[in-house]
């Protein structure tokens, strides 16, 4: 009886630890941004906790342009606002040359 209880407990702990947000269906993607704006020039850099910062250039419908960043944790959950956070206003030419650099487990720099 003790063996069965240990096996069942281990099974339930394993199931709970592998319930990631990432969709396993290759036809259904996890949205990082669902904005109607033109978005291009992506960059990605990982953090020390298994997550990732994803950035892109967004050309706004009103003409305003910016570098946007979204943080995704190791389980695939978007940690910031839907459609990311605008971190700097730039033109397209400037956006082509930016780099995303990790600074520690909780932040990154766009340079």
């Amino acid at each position: 009886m003790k063996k069965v209880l240990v096996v069942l407990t281990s099974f339930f702990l394993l199931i709970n630890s592998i319930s990631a947000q990432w969709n396993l269906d290759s036809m259904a993607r996890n949205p990082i941004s669902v904005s109607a704006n033109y978005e291009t020039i992506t960059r990605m850099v990982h953090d020390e906790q298994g997550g990732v910062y994803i950035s892109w250039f967004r050309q706004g419908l009103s003409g305003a342009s910016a570098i946007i960043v979204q943080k995704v944790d190791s389980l695939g959950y978007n940690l910031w606002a839907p459609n990311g956070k605008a971190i700097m206003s730039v033109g397209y030419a400037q956006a082509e040359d930016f780099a995303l650099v990790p600074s520690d487990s909780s932040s990154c720099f766009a340079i």
Side-chain angles (χ1 to χ4, degrees):
M1 182 67 174
K2 193 174 186 180
K3 265 187 178 179
V4 172
L5 185 58
V6 169
V7 170
L8 286 176
T9 303
S10 299
F11 175 75
F12 287 116
L13 288 174
L14 178 64
I15 292 298
N16 286 335
S17 68
I18 61 173
S19 60
Q21 170 74 14
W22 293 113
N23 194 329
L24 299 177
D25 181 357
S26 64
M27 299 305 291
R29 304 293 182 200
N30 289 41
I32 301 301
S33 173
V34 292
S35 172
N37 298 308
Y38 175 72
E39 297 175 332
T40 187
I41 311 175
T42 58
R43 306 284 191 268
M44 294 188 340
V45 65
H46 67 88
D47 66 13
E48 295 173 351
Q49 299 169 339
V52 66
Y53 293 95
I54 303 171
S55 65
W56 61 93
F57 171 75
R58 176 181 293 156
Q59 175 87 36
L61 297 176
S62 64
S65 301
I67 300 293
I68 311 296
V69 177
Q70 177 62 268
K71 183 166 184 184
V72 179
D73 70 10
S74 62
L75 296 177
Y77 291 98
N78 292 349
L79 298 180
W80 293 344
N83 299 321
K85 291 181 178 182
I87 59 169
M88 83 176 72
S89 296
V90 296
Y92 188 83
Q94 296 164 313
E96 288 183 310
D97 295 329
F98 87 95
L100 203 58
V101 180
S103 64
D104 59 30
S105 63
S106 63
S107 62
C108 68
F109 296 104
I111 55 172

